[in-house]
Amino acid sequence: MNEQEPGPVVDLRLDRAHSSRIYDYFLGGKTNFLADRMAAGQVLGVFPAALVAARINREFMHRATRFLAASGLRQFLDIGTGIPTPPNLHDIAQDIAPDARVVYTDNDPIVLAHAAALLLSTPEGRTAYLQADVTDPTGILTAPQLLDTLDLSRPVALSLNALMHFVPDDGQRRAHTIVETLKAALPSGSALVMSHATADFTPEAMRKIIKIYGDAGTRLQLRSRAEFLRFFDGWELLEPGVALSHQWRPDRPEDATHVTDAEAACYAGIARKP
Ligand SMILES: C[S@@+](CC[C@H](N)C(=O)[O-])C[C@H]1O[C@@H](n2cnc3c(N)ncnc32)[C@H](O)[C@@H]1O
């Protein structure tokens, strides 16, 4: 594009609640608008623990990234990145491994609008941002931004945190098939990091939350523990296996008990490709 020309006009639909901005509100961010705050208020009305659930989900991403960088992974593909909320994944990975390379992907144009915060790489490492939808995994895997940044013949940590519950199973479009396509493109030694909301503990509140998001135009499909476990099929789950997000290798033992399973409402796990 000619530098003199303005970029394409993107309608951020500030009049409608968006999942990324609702999550930003729960995390205490500032990139949210009236429609997002109203939807977030409705969610909190039926599930006051949403603030805690969002925070401990984010903390799972911190611990998972630290763990994988410390165990030698140097390439990260994070899909459903969300609005930047420091520390972001590359801040954590490059703190441990300055040469770490990170590709961020989200389908929400507002995340793209804030992508500059995700691109402040160390000089030794590299970060890139790709606006794309996880329902087109092949498009992600073949995008120039990804191929210029990651070497898919070497292990990659694939993060799908708090993402796949936004992908309902629809005809040919099945969440598990999408994840299998992504997994198949990665070599041995790669890791899958996932968290996913569940209605296993508070079905009535979650039914209402599905309606609130649905009214805002976002379909949610919460999944059971067994359905979550299936995302890792064929890969080796690391200890402690599937856990509630705050119970996956907590930094301190008391962190595993300070909220209930019902408040966490999100499963988490990491597996390695054999
Ligand atoms: C709840 S946020 C999670 C952010 C971050 N991964 C975390 O766990 O802290 C979910 C993000 O997924 C994005 N998202 C939802 N559906 C998506 C899709 N089909 N493709 C790509 N991104 C999607 C949303 O725009 C939002 O930014």
Side-chain angles (χ1 to χ4, degrees), residues 235-257:
W235 290 28
E236 290 160 358
L237 263 178
L238 305 186
E239 282 298 320
V242 165
L244 276 302
S245 49
H246 62 306
Q247 289 173 343
W248 195 94
R249 302 194 187 194
D251 286 335
R252 302 168 307 168
E254 58 269 33
D255 292 346
T257 51

Side-chain angles (χ1 to χ4, degrees), residues 19-20 23 27 54 57-58 61 78-83 105-108 111 132-135 160-163 165-167 195:
S19 63
S20 58
Y23 184 65
L27 289 178
N57 172 67
R58 189 80 187 164
M61 182 279 277
D78 181 50
I79 309 180
T81 295
I83 292 164
T105 303
D106 203 289
N107 70 348
D108 187 337
V111 178
D133 200 296
V134 73
T135 58
L160 307 174
N161 290 324
L163 169 67
H165 47 243
F166 294 114
V167 181
S195 65

Side-chain angles (χ1 to χ4, degrees), residues 25-250:
Y25 176 82
F26 289 150
L27 289 178
K30 294 192 167 53
T31 311
N32 50 77
F33 301 88
L34 184 62
D36 309 307
R37 293 193 283 271
M38 285 176 66
Q42 286 179 290
V43 171
L44 289 170
V46 297
F47 185 60
L51 298 173
V52 174
R55 178 174 56 76
I56 63 179
N57 172 67
R58 189 80 187 164
E59 289 170 356
F60 163 68
M61 182 279 277
H62 299 168
R63 295 195 302 283
T65 306
R66 244 189 280 130
F67 166 76
L68 291 172
S71 48
L73 274 153
R74 293 292 175 268
Q75 305 196 98
F76 295 80
L77 171 57
D78 181 50
I79 309 180
T81 295
I83 292 164
T85 305
N88 294 296
L89 192 150
H90 76 281
D91 300 318
I92 297 170
Q94 292 184 340
D95 198 34
I96 292 171
D99 58 340
R101 291 174 164 239
V102 179
V103 173
Y104 290 113
T105 303
D106 203 289
N107 70 348
D108 187 337
I110 202 153
V111 178
L112 173 65
H114 292 270
L118 301 172
L119 300 174
L120 297 171
S121 173
T122 54
E124 305 92 323
R126 193 153 166 183
T127 60
Y129 183 80
L130 168 66
Q131 169 142 4
D133 200 296
V134 73
T135 58
D136 177 19
T138 307
I140 293 176
L141 292 164
T142 55
Q145 294 95 323
L146 185 144
L147 297 175
D148 288 349
T149 312
L150 305 181
D151 173 359
L152 294 186
S153 68
R154 295 178 46 233
V156 173
L158 168 65
S159 303
L160 307 174
N161 290 324
L163 169 67
M164 294 311 289
H165 47 243
F166 294 114
V167 181
D169 295 318
D170 250 347
Q172 295 297 308
R173 198 183 77 162
R174 319 282 303 172
H176 288 85
T177 310
I178 292 167
V179 174
E180 283 308 319
T181 303
L182 292 165
K183 285 163 67 184
L186 305 180
S188 166
S190 294
L192 172 64
V193 181
M194 270 191 91
S195 65
H196 194 298
T198 185
D200 282 358
F201 306 99
T202 50
E204 189 50 25
M206 293 303 158
R207 195 184 55 72
K208 291 179 180 159
I209 289 176
I210 290 170
K211 165 98 173 61
I212 295 165
Y213 275 83
D215 289 347
T218 296
R219 286 179 57 207
L220 278 179
Q221 182 170 338
L222 308 188
R223 293 186 172 88
S224 66
R225 187 180 191 286
E227 289 168 317
F228 179 67
L229 185 60
R230 255 200 322 117
F231 284 114
F232 300 98
D233 273 2
W235 290 28
E236 290 160 358
L237 263 178
L238 305 186
E239 282 298 320
V242 165
L244 276 302
S245 49
H246 62 306
Q247 289 173 343
W248 195 94
R249 302 194 187 194

